[in-house]
């Protein structure tokens, strides 16, 4: 199942079911490029979720760039076993679940969604289990009504609506959808002021 | 004491309010003054301003990205903003001043907890609270078509009760700036700094016109050496100008803000349409010529420096709104500024020659000279403007100053000194002038005051009578009319006193 190879750069890389989990040429450079395309918020948020551990180079690169705590969601336990020792010096926690919905009950995930976070995909890992990671992403990104209200409740705020709204269509939710909620329209809660402020940025 | 100043717009807007920070520092020497700015502002300026204790950086672009990109969690922008606001709340500021005057900043000020707030804020019910009549004034005068308006720096100074303080731009030259200047190897004298590009296409004069103008300046003043300022992102565009300046002595200067400040301190003059560099020049020793094009509204954001020149092409559409593209078939405000005329203006300014004739000969160019008047505000005097118009505006501004001033116990404000200040400013700027037209205009204004006064009383009486006749007494409407009339009456009384006193000073002197 898991194989170890040496890249041209001399770095150790992993192969799972015959599929490479990092560049065969220079995995460190690949990790730098990966992060360069995903810099939004990484120095502002408290935690960063990474979907897929791969050969670990992207996680290491991220850990060296941000002071945020890193949580890696990985489906395959043997990959965690193989890569974790290389990451022991960094503030990285790995979560191994078999079903994405288990994330909702995970203590660390529940604690994380109370505060600011972002979600970064590792494409090579995601391609091994696309359905699983798609579901994980949906839970964490909160751009559908069920996951959004779950996150909102965990933050301890008054509910967005007294009656749950049914999302129509496949389009992900946006700040414009929040505008229609009772919290933003009618309440005098202080959170409303921040949602109104953000709404001004996309007018 | 802990003070937070919120300025969440661009670099130029922040540099423009630096006298507020300095004024607060003078007024509260032991206070910790923090600022909350757009992230790139703190990055560029953080090390240049010694009087700021802590910089809070808000990354507006990142917040927008978080809202617009479906791959990012919907609540990340909300969480990031909330966490920063809560951190700010934990600092327990005694005073928060919002000099941003946008709806975004107003919601944020509403969220922040603080005993004393100044500036536009929204309460949880979405109602606007200004916390100072000066901020209300700013809101009421937001329309670009208003006849006259105070400069933003003055508005914020008065709003913070710093109106009488000196306007100081305290920027510390840095080693980095010095090194960048040294690397340019500029001559010691006759250096003219030029910033040809701005962040807004409508404010750009056009590189072809710049080239034509600089070639003409160089022909008339061969001793001049130009230094062409630009940001790294502008380098490619500027290459076109560099090619056109064949034979003209110039040095390209793609430098940081530290470097730009050092360059300005070594230059005798800056010519620019760019807001940030223009305001930066307030802290440097050079003269300034500003090209105010497109949405650039010199009355609110013009170069504050004493004796600077502001040039703009006279068009009925200027200043235009920031957000929309130019609706004219061609960029008329830029076209009206002919490069050869601008070159002559630069020469006159350098050699301290009379500009009035030039202004008279080129009526499609508005040529204004800036002054900080002894009566406590900045004014850009149009060299083509008639003195009665100028005097009317000064009287109006002085009246606003009194009506917007915080209500204090004690004697009635010194209207007489204000009138003397106007007289003094008039004498200074118009030393050999014939004051007869001004006196005649003041007579007219005085009569107009009493006529308007009786007119207002009639309107109020008619409204009251109508309401009583129809037996539908709309109390709130009547009350608002009454409040308006009361403030009008107060303004009229101040205005009348100023006019009378000014008349007597002028009559005595002539």
């Amino acid at each position: 199942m898991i194989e170890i190879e040496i890249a041209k750069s001399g770095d150790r890389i992993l192969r799972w079911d015959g599929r490479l989990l990092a560049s065969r040429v220079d995995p460190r450079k690949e990790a730098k490029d990966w992060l360069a395309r995903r810099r939004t918020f990484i120095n502002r948020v408290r935690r960063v979720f990474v979907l897929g551990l791969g050969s670990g180079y992207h996680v290491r690169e991220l850990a060296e760039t941000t002071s945020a705590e890193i949580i890696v969601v990985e489906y395959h336990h043997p990959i965690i076993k193989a890569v974790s020792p290389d990451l022991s010096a960094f503030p990285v926690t790995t979560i191994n679940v078999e079903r994405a919905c288990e994330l909702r009950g995970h203590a660390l995930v529940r604690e994380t969604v109370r505060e600011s976070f972002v979600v970064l995909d590792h494409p090579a890992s995601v391609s091994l289990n696309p359905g699983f990671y798609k579901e994980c992403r949906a839970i964490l990104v909160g751009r559908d009504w069920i996951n959004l209200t779950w996150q909102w409740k965990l933050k301890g705020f008054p509910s967005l609506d007294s009656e749950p709204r049914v999302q129509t269509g496949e389009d992900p939710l946006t700040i414009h959808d929040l505008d229609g909620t009772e919290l933003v329209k009618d309440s005098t809660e202080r959170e409303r002021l921040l949602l109104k402020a953000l709404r001004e940025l996309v007018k | 004491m802990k003070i937070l100043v919120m300025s969440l717009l661009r670099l130029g807007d922040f540099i423009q309010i630096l006298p507020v920070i300095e004024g607060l520092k003078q007024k509260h020497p032991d206070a910790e003054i923090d600022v909350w700015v757009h992230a790139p502002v703190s990055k560029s300026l953080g090390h240049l301003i010694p009087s700021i204790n802590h910089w809070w950086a808000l990354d507006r672009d990142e917040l927008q990205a978080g809202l617009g990109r479906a791959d990012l969690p919907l609540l990340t922008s909300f969480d990031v903003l909330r966490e920063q606001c809560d951190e700010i709340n934990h600092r327990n500021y005694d005073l928060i001043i919002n000099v941003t005057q946008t709806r975004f900043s107003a919601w944020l000020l509403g969220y922040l907890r603080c005993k004393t707030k100044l500036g536009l804020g929204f309460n949880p019910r979405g109602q606007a609270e200004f916390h100072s009549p000066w901020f209300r004034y700013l809101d009421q005068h937001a329309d670009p078509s208003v006849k006259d308006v105070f400069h933003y720096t003055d508005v914020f100074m008065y709003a913070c009760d710093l109106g009488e303080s000196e306007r100081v731009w305290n920027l510390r030259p840095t080693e980095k700036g010095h090194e960048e200047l040294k690397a340019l190897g500029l001559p010691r004298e006759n250096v003219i700094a030029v910033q040809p590009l701005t962040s807004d296409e409508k404010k750009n004069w056009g590189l072809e016109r710049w080239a034509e103008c600089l070639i003409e300046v160089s022909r008339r003043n061969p001793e001049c050496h130009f230094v062409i300022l630009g940001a790294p992102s502008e380098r490619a565009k500027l290459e076109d100008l560099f090619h056109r300046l064949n034979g003209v002595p110039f040095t390209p200067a793609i430098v940081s803000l530290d470097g730009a400040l050092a360059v300005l301190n070594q230059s005798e003059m800056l010519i620019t349409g760019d807001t940030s560099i223009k305001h930066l020049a307030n802290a440097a020793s050079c003269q300034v010529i500003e090209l105010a094009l497109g949405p650039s509204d010199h009355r609110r954001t013009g170069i504050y420096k004493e004796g600077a020149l502001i040039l703009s092409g006279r068009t009925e559409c200027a200043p235009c709104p920031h957000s929309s593209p130019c609706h004219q078939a061609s960029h008329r405000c830029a076209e009206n500024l002919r490069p050869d005329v601008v070159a002559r203006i630069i020469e006159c300014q350098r050699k301290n020659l009379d500009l009035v004739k030039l202004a008279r000969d080129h009526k499609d160019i508005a040529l204004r000279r800036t002054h900080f008047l002894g009566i406590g505000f900045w004014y850009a005097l149009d060299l083509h403007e008639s003195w009665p118009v100028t005097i009317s505006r000064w009287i109006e501004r002085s009246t606003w100053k009194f009506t917007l001033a915080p209500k204090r116990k004690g004697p009635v404000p010194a209207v007489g000194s204000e009138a003397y200040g106007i007289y003094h400013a008039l004498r200074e700027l118009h030393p050999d002038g014939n004051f007869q037209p001004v006196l005649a205009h003041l007579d007219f204004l005085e009569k107009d005051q009493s006529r308007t006064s009786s007119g207002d009383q009639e309107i109020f009486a008619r409204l009251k009578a109508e309401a009583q006749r129809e037996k539908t007494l709309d109390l709130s409407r009547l009350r608002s009319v009454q409040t308006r009339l009361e403030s009008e009456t107060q303004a009229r009384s101040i205005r009348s006193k100023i006019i009378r006193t000014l008349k007597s000073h002028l009559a005595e002197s002539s």
Side-chain angles (χ1 to χ4, degrees):
Chain A
M1 294 283 248
I2 193 164
E3 296 163 76
I4 295 171
E5 274 185 34
I6 302 297
K8 275 188 185 168
S9 58
D11 295 303
R12 195 183 72 136
I13 54 169
L14 300 185
R15 194 187 274 275
W16 178 268
D17 274 352
R19 293 162 86 164
L20 276 169
L21 295 182
S23 160
R24 194 188 276 166
V25 181
D26 190 346
R28 289 173 198 269
K29 186 183 174 297
E30 182 192 45
K32 275 192 198 316
D33 296 343
W34 174 85
L35 189 59
R37 291 190 297 272
R38 293 167 174 80
R39 296 199 77 91
T40 313
F41 284 125
I42 60 163
N43 286 311
R44 299 252 168 211
V45 291
R46 305 255 163 105
R47 291 191 177 97
V48 180
F49 280 108
V50 180
L51 301 182
L53 187 54
S55 297
Y57 292 101
H58 62 297
V59 178
R60 180 196 290 247
E61 184 65 29
L62 178 64
E64 283 170 353
T65 307
T66 176
S67 57
E69 203 181 316
I70 298 166
I71 302 163
V72 183
V73 179
E74 174 54 56
Y75 183 80
H76 299 288
H77 191 256
I79 294 179
I80 298 178
K81 230 173 129 186
V83 176
S84 285
D86 298 341
L87 298 171
S88 58
F90 301 103
V92 177
T93 311
T94 47
I95 293 178
N96 177 222
V97 285
E98 284 183 3
R99 288 180 307 150
C101 61
E102 288 172 38
L103 286 179
R104 286 159 159 272
H106 198 287
L108 182 58
V109 175
R110 292 172 73 86
E111 192 189 318
T112 299
V113 298
R114 283 192 196 115
E115 299 181 329
S116 57
F117 65 92
V118 281
V119 186
L120 309 182
D121 284 328
H122 180 244
S125 305
V126 168
S127 68
L128 297 179
N129 295 82
F132 168 77
Y133 284 115
K134 189 181 173 191
E135 221 179 306
C136 290
R137 162 165 277 286
I139 290 169
L140 297 173
V141 165
R143 286 196 180 252
D144 62 89
W145 196 248
I146 292 169
N147 286 311
L148 176 70
T149 45
W150 169 69
Q151 289 191 14
W152 189 257
K153 209 183 267 182
L154 279 177
K155 289 176 198 293
F157 296 139
S159 55
L160 289 165
D161 256 337
S162 52
E163 286 178 29
R165 209 183 66 148
V166 179
Q167 191 179 9
T168 53
E170 289 291 301
D171 292 340
L173 291 176
T174 68
I175 184 84
H176 300 285
D177 296 293
L178 289 178
D179 246 10
T181 63
E182 283 177 15
L183 179 103
V184 181
K185 271 197 308 190
D186 307 321
S187 87
T188 55
E189 296 293 335
R190 286 164 57 72
E191 288 67 39
R192 171 183 196 261
L193 298 168
L194 294 183
L195 290 170
K196 286 277 190 188
L198 291 170
R199 182 67 184 77
E200 298 293 336
L201 293 182
V202 287
K203 265 187 177 170
Chain B
M1 185 180 194
K2 285 191 274 190
I3 303 172
L4 176 70
V5 179
M6 294 168 65
S7 175
L8 300 175
L9 291 173
R10 281 180 283 193
L11 185 62
D13 300 292
F14 182 70
I15 301 176
Q16 185 173 244
I17 61 104
L18 286 180
V20 172
I21 311 256
E22 212 49 47
L24 289 168
K25 197 76 200 164
Q26 299 296 322
K27 194 172 169 185
H28 311 283
D30 299 326
E32 282 176 18
I33 300 176
D34 296 355
V35 293
W36 194 14
V37 295
H38 185 28
V41 174
S42 63
K43 208 172 153 191
S44 318
L45 274 177
H47 45 291
L48 289 170
I49 307 171
S51 44
I52 291 170
N53 176 59
H54 179 75
W55 295 74
W56 295 96
L58 178 137
D59 197 325
R60 215 174 43 226
D61 301 334
E62 212 165 44
L63 292 177
Q64 276 170 327
L67 299 170
R69 275 172 44 188
D71 62 317
L72 291 165
L74 179 55
L75 295 176
T76 301
S77 294
F78 170 80
D79 285 329
V80 165
L81 187 60
R82 179 174 55 96
E83 282 161 8
Q84 188 169 48
C85 288
D86 290 345
E87 269 183 67
I88 290 173
N89 278 335
H90 281 134
R91 290 275 297 163
N92 291 321
Y93 286 102
D94 301 287
L95 169 65
I96 300 181
I97 306 168
N98 178 15
V99 293
T100 321
Q101 198 81 3
T102 59
R103 292 178 61 81
F104 172 65
S105 69
W107 289 114
L108 296 186
L109 185 64
Y111 184 82
L112 295 178
R113 294 183 200 277
C114 179
K115 210 163 55 189
T116 312
K117 294 178 180 179
L118 267 180
L120 176 64
F122 289 139
N123 67 20
R125 287 181 300 284
Q127 294 159 333
E129 292 169 346
F130 293 96
H131 310 100
S132 153
W134 279 96
F135 284 105
R136 187 182 292 276
Y137 165 91
L138 202 57
D139 192 59
Q140 288 167 344
H141 289 73
D143 191 335
S145 65
V146 292
K147 274 189 189 156
D148 189 40
V149 62
F150 281 95
H151 193 284
Y152 280 159
T153 302
D154 288 335
V155 172
F156 296 135
M157 290 297 277
Y158 279 106
C160 298
D161 205 10
L162 301 166
E164 308 306 321
S165 308
E166 196 186 342
R167 278 49 163 169
V168 178
W169 274 263
N170 189 3
L171 288 161
R172 174 178 48 195
T174 63
E175 192 56 36
K176 180 186 172 194
H178 180 71
E179 289 301 320
E180 284 182 348
L181 173 69
K182 220 167 105 185
L184 294 175
L186 296 177
R188 286 252 158 238
E189 287 176 340
N190 301 315
V191 175
I192 298 184
V194 178
Q195 169 93 16
L197 293 174
T198 76
S199 56
D200 184 339
E201 197 49 47
K202 287 194 294 180
K203 287 186 184 174
N204 284 341
W205 193 28
L207 294 177
E208 206 173 317
R209 292 190 190 96
W210 274 110
E212 208 182 310
C213 171
L214 298 186
I215 289 167
E216 181 63 12
V217 175
S218 188
R219 192 184 65 78
R220 288 166 164 271
N221 308 266
E223 72 281 10
C224 284
H225 185 95
F226 298 100
V227 51
I228 315 287
L229 291 162
S233 58
E234 295 168 340
R235 189 190 291 269
K237 267 190 177 177
L238 286 173
E239 287 294 335
D240 178 38
L241 176 66
F242 301 156
H243 287 306
R244 289 172 189 270
L245 290 178
N246 193 14
V248 174
F250 76 94
T251 306
I254 307 296
V255 289
S256 66
L257 217 55
D258 305 46
L261 181 63
V263 167
L264 295 182
N265 273 321
Q266 186 156 330
S267 304
E268 66 165 48
M269 182 184 283
L270 164 72
I271 312 162
T272 180
D274 180 75
T275 318
S276 307
I277 292 293
K278 168 181 82 184
H279 294 311
L280 195 70
N282 282 309
S285 51
C286 60
Q287 298 183 58
V288 180
I289 296 183
E290 174 189 350
L291 308 190
L293 301 174
S296 188
D297 188 345
H298 76 273
R299 300 167 305 171
R300 298 165 210 264
T301 61
I303 170 70
Y304 203 94
K305 228 174 183 174
E306 174 72 32
L309 287 181
I310 302 177
L311 316 184
S312 42
R314 285 192 205 275
T315 49
E316 64 287 354
C317 53
C320 53
H322 273 277
S323 42
S324 55
C326 178
H327 69 273
Q328 301 282 3
S330 59
H331 197 193
R332 280 180 48 203
C333 55
E335 285 166 5
N336 284 353
L337 277 186
R338 274 176 32 206
D340 58 320
V341 182
V342 175
R344 282 169 63 198
I345 293 169
I346 293 167
E347 187 180 26
C348 288
Q349 178 75 344
R350 279 194 76 225
K351 296 178 178 167
N352 210 11
L353 304 174
D354 185 25
L355 282 160
V356 178
K357 190 180 173 303
L358 209 56
R360 222 176 278 143
D361 293 346
H362 298 279
K363 294 196 171 78
D364 47 356
I365 295 182
L367 181 51
R368 299 179 175 92
R369 193 183 285 286
T370 62
H371 299 281
F372 185 77
L373 303 179
I375 29 184
F377 53 80
W378 173 97
Y379 190 79
L381 182 70
D382 190 330
L383 299 189
H384 205 62
E385 185 173 278
S386 74
W387 281 102
V389 172
T390 308
I391 285 295
S392 298
R393 288 187 177 155
W394 291 358
I395 292 171
E396 205 47 39
R397 286 201 193 186
S398 288
T399 308
W400 272 114
K401 256 176 60 190
F402 284 114
T403 51
L404 298 174
K407 302 280 175 282
R408 290 196 175 94
K409 287 178 187 165
V412 183
V415 175
S417 320
E418 189 75 11
Y420 183 74
I422 296 177
Y423 164 73
H424 189 71
L426 183 64
R427 293 292 309 235
E428 207 172 86
L429 298 182
H430 193 25
D432 310 317
N434 167 18
F435 295 128
Q436 284 313 315
V438 176
L439 272 164
H441 186 67
L442 290 174
D443 278 337
F444 163 77
L445 287 180
E446 198 175 11
K447 278 179 200 147
D448 193 47
Q449 291 304 299
S450 48
R451 204 168 38 235
T452 331
S453 164
S454 53
D456 283 353
Q457 299 302 336
E458 276 169 28
I459 293 169
F460 186 64
R462 204 186 63 222
L463 277 173
K464 208 170 157 186
E466 266 175 30
Q468 279 166 346
R469 204 170 40 243
E470 291 169 16
K471 291 190 178 155
T472 52
L473 200 61
D474 186 346
L475 272 180
S476 65
R477 187 169 167 228
L478 269 183
R479 218 170 274 144
S480 91
V481 172
Q482 190 173 15
T483 312
R484 191 175 61 80
L485 285 180
E486 275 168 10
S487 57
E488 281 287 323
T489 310
Q490 187 204 0
R492 197 177 301 112
S493 142
I494 293 167
R495 204 179 289 121
S496 301
K497 278 183 198 161
I498 294 175
I499 293 169
R500 279 200 303 274
T501 320
L502 183 57
K503 266 175 69 182
S504 73
H505 284 308
L506 286 172
E508 263 176 46
S509 73
S510 54

